[in-house]
Amino acid sequence: MAEHYRILIVEEPVYHEGQAHLKKTAVAPNITVCQPHTAIHAPGFHDDQIPTLQTLLADLLPEGEKPVVWFYTPMALPLLQSFEPSLVVYDCMDELAAFKNPPKQLVQRESALLNIADLCFTGGPSLYNSKKERHANAHCFSSSVDAKHFQKAQDRSYSHPDQEAIPHPRLGFYGVIDERFDTDLIREMAAARPDWQIVLVGPVVKIDPVHLPQAANIHYMGQRTYEELPKFLAGWDVCLLPFALNESTKFISPTKVLEYMAAELPSVSTPITDVKVPYGDVVAIAETPAEFIAACERMLNASAEQKAALAERMRAIVANTSWDKTAAAMHQLIQTTAPANKAQRLTADQADIAEAGDKVSTLPVKQTAQAVALDDQPKKAQAAAE
């Protein structure tokens, strides 16, 4: 998107004793990350943070600039008052209200954002089906893959040194370990097959680490950088998508499924709709722990011919998807959508709807204009892990 827009990403505030300020970091051409530092203990885009954040963002853009304001979370809605948007985009990547302990204002605020937004993008078909009746200009953009980055894992000697001492077979997962992660499945799998080594890469969020399965063949590697992920993949024999089947996973569309494919590694998943429907002929789908273990066994014991045929199907899928195509299609929609100017309706009274916060981040604006993206920290943690 940075080929078309100057992008400003506004992260959630970080606690800082002292005067509030906005730390700006140029991370790539046309992309600047803006990290607010405040002396307020309230988390994310909490109401207590909003007045200070509005002050910090007041001079973010040149006077008269009308950015595309791009929301990743409805909790950022109060910050819309800091801008005079040319267009408002809601990029819905998760059904956040289904997550554990969501802010009480989230549902109301999403309704307000869906009313105000000119465009609604969704991160997968399940989310699209959930939002299309609530927004007349909703579009499905399933996750793509940075193929070049994850294809590095096809060189199995590229394996991360931190897992070198772990014997094979290695069955791995990377991503956020939270209420979406089926801890009981991993516990049963480790107990049933003590010869299998289960490697889990990613931060533990919103669940007590005390309740995580512990065994000699379960290895927690912690949160890692995006650059490290192909190195872990390179050392695995089977990739795992062990998602629990609950409200928080009903609408998820895991980005990692295509990343696993780019590495040309076999994968086993629980029956998540956005994995099972498009990729059920490539990813092994298994619901119960016994079925999941059996599917992993089949993948580990696949013949060279079976593995080659599977890799060929994976290559075809990866070849037909790219972030370039996604960005181009989104850019076209932004350019051709007439603004409804509903953002002007976000008056002081409507701002009361948005009276708590979680997080925000700002996105694209035209090459001659700017864009502001509002995002949340759990998502950033997930991005780092995934």
Side-chain angles (χ1 to χ4, degrees):
M1 293 299 279
E3 293 182 4
H4 306 291
Y5 305 93
R6 295 197 304 274
I7 300 176
L8 303 173
I9 301 176
V10 179
E11 295 186 341
E12 70 170 0
V14 172
Y15 180 76
H16 169 78
E17 291 185 4
Q19 186 173 359
H21 64 279
L22 194 63
K23 179 183 177 183
K24 298 179 182 179
T25 307
V27 296
N30 269 354
I31 304 176
T32 299
V33 172
C34 306
Q35 186 181 66
H37 290 244
T38 74
I40 302 166
H41 285 284
F45 294 103
H46 190 278
D47 280 354
D48 294 351
Q49 296 276 9
I50 297 301
T52 300
L53 294 177
Q54 288 174 330
T55 300
L56 292 177
L57 298 179
D59 299 324
L60 184 62
L61 301 180
E63 188 173 351
E65 189 81 74
K66 295 184 178 182
V68 174
V69 179
W70 179 301
F71 289 88
Y72 284 112
T73 170
M75 297 310 299
L77 188 56
L79 296 183
L80 185 60
Q81 296 176 89
S82 302
F83 307 97
E84 185 180 352
S86 62
L87 209 71
V88 176
V89 177
Y90 175 27
D91 192 352
C92 181
M93 293 298 296
D94 289 297
E95 192 66 83
L96 297 174
F99 282 29
K100 189 175 181 180
N101 301 322
K104 64 180 184 294
Q105 299 88 348
L106 182 60
V107 173
Q108 279 185 313
R109 204 163 295 180
E110 183 181 59
S111 294
L113 178 55
L114 284 166
N115 181 54
I116 289 169
D118 300 293
L119 279 168
C120 177
F121 299 148
T122 67
S126 294
L127 277 171
Y128 174 70
N129 289 330
S130 170
K131 304 302 175 189
K132 67 181 181 181
E133 302 301 326
R134 301 178 63 193
H135 198 283
N137 200 11
H139 303 268
C140 181
F141 287 100
S142 297
S143 294
S144 189
V145 60
D146 182 353
K148 185 177 180 181
H149 182 64
F150 289 95
Q151 283 167 349
K152 297 173 186 174
Q154 293 179 23
D155 177 2
R156 307 309 186 203
S157 66
Y158 190 61
S159 180
H160 202 293
D162 287 0
Q163 63 186 1
E164 186 176 349
I166 300 173
H168 288 270
R170 297 185 195 133
L171 297 87
F173 164 88
Y174 62 71
V176 178
I177 299 172
D178 58 12
E179 72 267 29
R180 295 169 295 175
F181 186 84
D182 194 336
T183 53
D184 291 335
L185 171 58
I186 295 299
R187 184 179 289 108
E188 290 192 41
M189 195 164 122
R193 294 304 307 263
D195 55 318
W196 292 357
Q197 304 300 314
I198 301 171
V199 182
L200 305 175
V201 178
V204 177
V205 178
K206 293 195 291 184
I207 57 175
D208 189 341
V210 172
H211 299 309
L212 294 176
Q214 302 291 337
N217 61 333
I218 301 177
H219 310 271
Y220 293 95
M221 311 304 290
Q223 183 167 343
R224 299 299 180 119
T225 66
Y226 182 73
E227 294 302 318
E228 291 178 281
L229 298 184
K231 295 182 181 181
F232 281 100
L233 280 175
W236 295 350
D237 301 292
V238 172
C239 297
L240 306 176
L241 292 143
F243 289 107
L245 301 178
N246 56 35
E247 283 302 307
S248 68
T249 61
K250 188 176 179 181
F251 300 101
I252 64 171
S253 182
T255 58
K256 63 180 64 60
V257 66
L258 286 168
E259 294 165 359
Y260 291 170
M261 287 189 202
E264 295 186 8
L265 285 167
S267 302
V268 179
S269 177
T270 51
I272 299 300
T273 301
D274 286 4
V275 175
K276 179 177 66 175
V277 174
Y279 306 123
D281 63 329
V282 179
V283 178
I285 306 297
E287 186 165 356
T288 68
E291 291 169 349
F292 201 93
I293 293 167
C296 290
E297 186 85 52
R298 288 195 302 274
M299 290 299 191
L300 286 170
N301 294 330
S303 66
E305 292 77 10
Q306 290 171 324
K307 290 179 180 177
L310 187 62
E312 186 175 356
R313 293 203 298 276
M314 292 179 188
R315 281 193 292 273
I317 291 171
V318 171
N320 285 324
T321 182
S322 77
W323 287 117
D324 289 337
K325 291 180 181 178
T326 299
M330 288 178 165
H331 175 56
Q332 177 68 15
L333 285 167
I334 290 170
Q335 294 297 301
T336 57
T337 296
N341 297 317
K342 290 183 179 181
Q344 296 171 5
R345 299 180 189 175
L346 192 67
T347 61
D349 288 341
Q350 288 170 318
D352 289 341
I353 291 176
E355 63 187 6
D358 225 27
K359 306 149 196 185
V360 175
S361 149
T362 27
L363 189 75
V365 189
K366 278 192 155 183
Q367 203 71 322
T368 55
Q370 285 213 355
V372 176
L374 308 175
D375 199 5
D376 58 16
Q377 196 63 23
K379 193 175 181 60
K380 299 194 83 58
Q382 182 174 348
E386 294 187 350

